[in-house]
mmCIF file with all atom_site columns, all heavy atoms in Angstrom:
data_model
loop_
_atom_site.group_PDB
_atom_site.id
_atom_site.type_symbol
_atom_site.label_atom_id
_atom_site.label_alt_id
_atom_site.label_comp_id
_atom_site.label_asym_id
_atom_site.label_entity_id
_atom_site.label_seq_id
_atom_site.pdbx_PDB_ins_code
_atom_site.Cartn_x
_atom_site.Cartn_y
_atom_site.Cartn_z
_atom_site.occupancy
_atom_site.B_iso_or_equiv
_atom_site.pdbx_formal_charge
_atom_site.auth_seq_id
_atom_site.auth_comp_id
_atom_site.auth_asym_id
_atom_site.auth_atom_id
_atom_site.pdbx_PDB_model_num
ATOM 1  N N   . LEU F 1 421 ? 2.550  -47.516 60.360 1.00 0.00 ? 930 LEU F N   1
ATOM 2  C CA  . LEU F 1 421 ? 3.232  -46.304 60.817 1.00 0.00 ? 930 LEU F CA  1
ATOM 3  C C   . LEU F 1 421 ? 4.713  -46.504 60.543 1.00 0.00 ? 930 LEU F C   1
ATOM 4  O O   . LEU F 1 421 ? 5.354  -47.365 61.132 1.00 0.00 ? 930 LEU F O   1
ATOM 5  C CB  . LEU F 1 421 ? 2.973  -46.086 62.309 1.00 0.00 ? 930 LEU F CB  1
ATOM 6  C CG  . LEU F 1 421 ? 3.509  -44.783 62.878 1.00 0.00 ? 930 LEU F CG  1
ATOM 7  C CD1 . LEU F 1 421 ? 2.753  -43.615 62.295 1.00 0.00 ? 930 LEU F CD1 1
ATOM 8  C CD2 . LEU F 1 421 ? 3.381  -44.770 64.387 1.00 0.00 ? 930 LEU F CD2 1
ATOM 9  N N   . ILE F 1 422 ? 5.241  -45.738 59.601 1.00 0.00 ? 931 ILE F N   1
ATOM 10 C CA  . ILE F 1 422 ? 6.629  -45.939 59.153 1.00 0.00 ? 931 ILE F CA  1
ATOM 11 C C   . ILE F 1 422 ? 7.431  -44.697 59.524 1.00 0.00 ? 931 ILE F C   1
ATOM 12 O O   . ILE F 1 422 ? 6.987  -43.577 59.277 1.00 0.00 ? 931 ILE F O   1
ATOM 13 C CB  . ILE F 1 422 ? 6.684  -46.116 57.624 1.00 0.00 ? 931 ILE F CB  1
ATOM 14 C CG1 . ILE F 1 422 ? 5.711  -47.217 57.173 1.00 0.00 ? 931 ILE F CG1 1
ATOM 15 C CG2 . ILE F 1 422 ? 8.090  -46.454 57.166 1.00 0.00 ? 931 ILE F CG2 1
ATOM 16 C CD1 . ILE F 1 422 ? 5.548  -47.298 55.696 1.00 0.00 ? 931 ILE F CD1 1
ATOM 17 N N   . GLN F 1 423 ? 8.610  -44.924 60.078 1.00 0.00 ? 932 GLN F N   1
ATOM 18 C CA  . GLN F 1 423 ? 9.501  -43.799 60.402 1.00 0.00 ? 932 GLN F CA  1
ATOM 19 C C   . GLN F 1 423 ? 10.368 -43.539 59.181 1.00 0.00 ? 932 GLN F C   1
ATOM 20 O O   . GLN F 1 423 ? 11.089 -44.426 58.720 1.00 0.00 ? 932 GLN F O   1
ATOM 21 C CB  . GLN F 1 423 ? 10.365 -44.173 61.607 1.00 0.00 ? 932 GLN F CB  1
ATOM 22 C CG  . GLN F 1 423 ? 11.258 -43.084 62.108 1.00 0.00 ? 932 GLN F CG  1
ATOM 23 C CD  . GLN F 1 423 ? 10.499 -42.100 62.996 1.00 0.00 ? 932 GLN F CD  1
ATOM 24 O OE1 . GLN F 1 423 ? 9.321  -42.285 63.279 1.00 0.00 ? 932 GLN F OE1 1
ATOM 25 N NE2 . GLN F 1 423 ? 11.170 -41.060 63.420 1.00 0.00 ? 932 GLN F NE2 1
ATOM 26 N N   . LEU F 1 424 ? 10.283 -42.332 58.629 1.00 0.00 ? 933 LEU F N   1
ATOM 27 C CA  . LEU F 1 424 ? 11.065 -42.032 57.440 1.00 0.00 ? 933 LEU F CA  1
ATOM 28 C C   . LEU F 1 424 ? 12.372 -41.375 57.850 1.00 0.00 ? 933 LEU F C   1
ATOM 29 O O   . LEU F 1 424 ? 12.363 -40.333 58.499 1.00 0.00 ? 933 LEU F O   1
ATOM 30 C CB  . LEU F 1 424 ? 10.306 -41.063 56.533 1.00 0.00 ? 933 LEU F CB  1
ATOM 31 C CG  . LEU F 1 424 ? 8.961  -41.495 55.980 1.00 0.00 ? 933 LEU F CG  1
ATOM 32 C CD1 . LEU F 1 424 ? 8.400  -40.394 55.114 1.00 0.00 ? 933 LEU F CD1 1
ATOM 33 C CD2 . LEU F 1 424 ? 9.077  -42.773 55.192 1.00 0.00 ? 933 LEU F CD2 1
ATOM 34 N N   . PRO F 1 425 ? 13.502 -41.933 57.456 1.00 0.00 ? 934 PRO F N   1
ATOM 35 C CA  . PRO F 1 425 ? 14.770 -41.261 57.765 1.00 0.00 ? 934 PRO F CA  1
ATOM 36 C C   . PRO F 1 425 ? 14.891 -39.972 56.948 1.00 0.00 ? 934 PRO F C   1
ATOM 37 O O   . PRO F 1 425 ? 14.228 -39.838 55.914 1.00 0.00 ? 934 PRO F O   1
ATOM 38 C CB  . PRO F 1 425 ? 15.828 -42.277 57.335 1.00 0.00 ? 934 PRO F CB  1
ATOM 39 C CG  . PRO F 1 425 ? 15.118 -43.482 56.888 1.00 0.00 ? 934 PRO F CG  1
ATOM 40 C CD  . PRO F 1 425 ? 13.666 -43.189 56.752 1.00 0.00 ? 934 PRO F CD  1
ATOM 41 N N   . PRO F 1 426 ? 15.715 -39.030 57.400 1.00 0.00 ? 935 PRO F N   1
ATOM 42 C CA  . PRO F 1 426 ? 15.799 -37.757 56.669 1.00 0.00 ? 935 PRO F CA  1
ATOM 43 C C   . PRO F 1 426 ? 16.405 -37.952 55.297 1.00 0.00 ? 935 PRO F C   1
ATOM 44 O O   . PRO F 1 426 ? 17.279 -38.788 55.086 1.00 0.00 ? 935 PRO F O   1
ATOM 45 C CB  . PRO F 1 426 ? 16.705 -36.893 57.556 1.00 0.00 ? 935 PRO F CB  1
ATOM 46 C CG  . PRO F 1 426 ? 17.377 -37.827 58.464 1.00 0.00 ? 935 PRO F CG  1
ATOM 47 C CD  . PRO F 1 426 ? 16.523 -39.036 58.600 1.00 0.00 ? 935 PRO F CD  1
ATOM 48 N N   . HIS F 1 427 ? 15.893 -37.176 54.366 1.00 0.00 ? 936 HIS F N   1
ATOM 49 C CA  . HIS F 1 427 ? 16.392 -37.115 52.987 1.00 0.00 ? 936 HIS F CA  1
ATOM 50 C C   . HIS F 1 427 ? 16.501 -38.507 52.384 1.00 0.00 ? 936 HIS F C   1
ATOM 51 O O   . HIS F 1 427 ? 17.577 -38.938 51.973 1.00 0.00 ? 936 HIS F O   1
ATOM 52 C CB  . HIS F 1 427 ? 17.764 -36.407 52.974 1.00 0.00 ? 936 HIS F CB  1
ATOM 53 C CG  . HIS F 1 427 ? 18.028 -35.755 51.657 1.00 0.00 ? 936 HIS F CG  1
ATOM 54 N ND1 . HIS F 1 427 ? 17.330 -34.652 51.224 1.00 0.00 ? 936 HIS F ND1 1
ATOM 55 C CD2 . HIS F 1 427 ? 18.870 -36.080 50.656 1.00 0.00 ? 936 HIS F CD2 1
ATOM 56 C CE1 . HIS F 1 427 ? 17.752 -34.317 50.038 1.00 0.00 ? 936 HIS F CE1 1
ATOM 57 N NE2 . HIS F 1 427 ? 18.681 -35.160 49.649 1.00 0.00 ? 936 HIS F NE2 1
ATOM 58 N N   . SER F 1 428 ? 15.394 -39.215 52.342 1.00 0.00 ? 937 SER F N   1
ATOM 59 C CA  . SER F 1 428 ? 15.458 -40.611 51.910 1.00 0.00 ? 937 SER F CA  1
ATOM 60 C C   . SER F 1 428 ? 14.232 -40.969 51.091 1.00 0.00 ? 937 SER F C   1
ATOM 61 O O   . SER F 1 428 ? 13.260 -40.221 51.012 1.00 0.00 ? 937 SER F O   1
ATOM 62 C CB  . SER F 1 428 ? 15.521 -41.531 53.117 1.00 0.00 ? 937 SER F CB  1
ATOM 63 O OG  . SER F 1 428 ? 14.282 -41.452 53.787 1.00 0.00 ? 937 SER F OG  1
ATOM 64 N N   . MET F 1 429 ? 14.321 -42.169 50.526 1.00 0.00 ? 938 MET F N   1
ATOM 65 C CA  . MET F 1 429 ? 13.211 -42.723 49.766 1.00 0.00 ? 938 MET F CA  1
ATOM 66 C C   . MET F 1 429 ? 12.865 -44.064 50.399 1.00 0.00 ? 938 MET F C   1
ATOM 67 O O   . MET F 1 429 ? 13.741 -44.899 50.569 1.00 0.00 ? 938 MET F O   1
ATOM 68 C CB  . MET F 1 429 ? 13.666 -42.921 48.319 1.00 0.00 ? 938 MET F CB  1
ATOM 69 C CG  . MET F 1 429 ? 12.633 -43.514 47.434 1.00 0.00 ? 938 MET F CG  1
ATOM 70 S SD  . MET F 1 429 ? 13.316 -43.891 45.818 1.00 0.00 ? 938 MET F SD  1
ATOM 71 C CE  . MET F 1 429 ? 13.718 -45.609 46.035 1.00 0.00 ? 938 MET F CE  1
ATOM 72 N N   . THR F 1 430 ? 11.624 -44.237 50.751 1.00 0.00 ? 939 THR F N   1
ATOM 73 C CA  . THR F 1 430 ? 11.181 -45.483 51.374 1.00 0.00 ? 939 THR F CA  1
ATOM 74 C C   . THR F 1 430 ? 10.265 -46.203 50.402 1.00 0.00 ? 939 THR F C   1
ATOM 75 O O   . THR F 1 430 ? 9.365  -45.599 49.838 1.00 0.00 ? 939 THR F O   1
ATOM 76 C CB  . THR F 1 430 ? 10.397 -45.172 52.659 1.00 0.00 ? 939 THR F CB  1
ATOM 77 O OG1 . THR F 1 430 ? 11.179 -44.330 53.480 1.00 0.00 ? 939 THR F OG1 1
ATOM 78 C CG2 . THR F 1 430 ? 10.041 -46.433 53.405 1.00 0.00 ? 939 THR F CG2 1
ATOM 79 N N   . GLU F 1 431 ? 10.525 -47.508 50.239 1.00 0.00 ? 940 GLU F N   1
ATOM 80 C CA  . GLU F 1 431 ? 9.716  -48.254 49.271 1.00 0.00 ? 940 GLU F CA  1
ATOM 81 C C   . GLU F 1 431 ? 8.978  -49.384 49.985 1.00 0.00 ? 940 GLU F C   1
ATOM 82 O O   . GLU F 1 431 ? 9.562  -50.155 50.735 1.00 0.00 ? 940 GLU F O   1
ATOM 83 C CB  . GLU F 1 431 ? 10.621 -48.846 48.194 1.00 0.00 ? 940 GLU F CB  1
ATOM 84 C CG  . GLU F 1 431 ? 9.847  -49.343 47.009 1.00 0.00 ? 940 GLU F CG  1
ATOM 85 C CD  . GLU F 1 431 ? 10.728 -49.555 45.785 1.00 0.00 ? 940 GLU F CD  1
ATOM 86 O OE1 . GLU F 1 431 ? 11.783 -48.896 45.694 1.00 0.00 ? 940 GLU F OE1 1
ATOM 87 O OE2 . GLU F 1 431 ? 10.360 -50.384 44.958 1.00 0.00 ? 940 GLU F OE2 1
ATOM 88 N N   . VAL F 1 432 ? 7.703  -49.443 49.743 1.00 0.00 ? 941 VAL F N   1
ATOM 89 C CA  . VAL F 1 432 ? 6.860  -50.496 50.332 1.00 0.00 ? 941 VAL F CA  1
ATOM 90 C C   . VAL F 1 432 ? 6.379  -51.358 49.181 1.00 0.00 ? 941 VAL F C   1
ATOM 91 O O   . VAL F 1 432 ? 5.783  -50.854 48.231 1.00 0.00 ? 941 VAL F O   1
ATOM 92 C CB  . VAL F 1 432 ? 5.644  -49.866 51.041 1.00 0.00 ? 941 VAL F CB  1
ATOM 93 C CG1 . VAL F 1 432 ? 4.740  -50.919 51.617 1.00 0.00 ? 941 VAL F CG1 1
ATOM 94 C CG2 . VAL F 1 432 ? 6.097  -48.910 52.116 1.00 0.00 ? 941 VAL F CG2 1
#
Side-chain angles (χ1 to χ4, degrees):
Chain F
L930 186 67
I931 307 171
Q932 184 81 4
L933 299 180
H936 206 69
S937 68
M938 179 187 96
T939 307
E940 193 163 335
V941 178

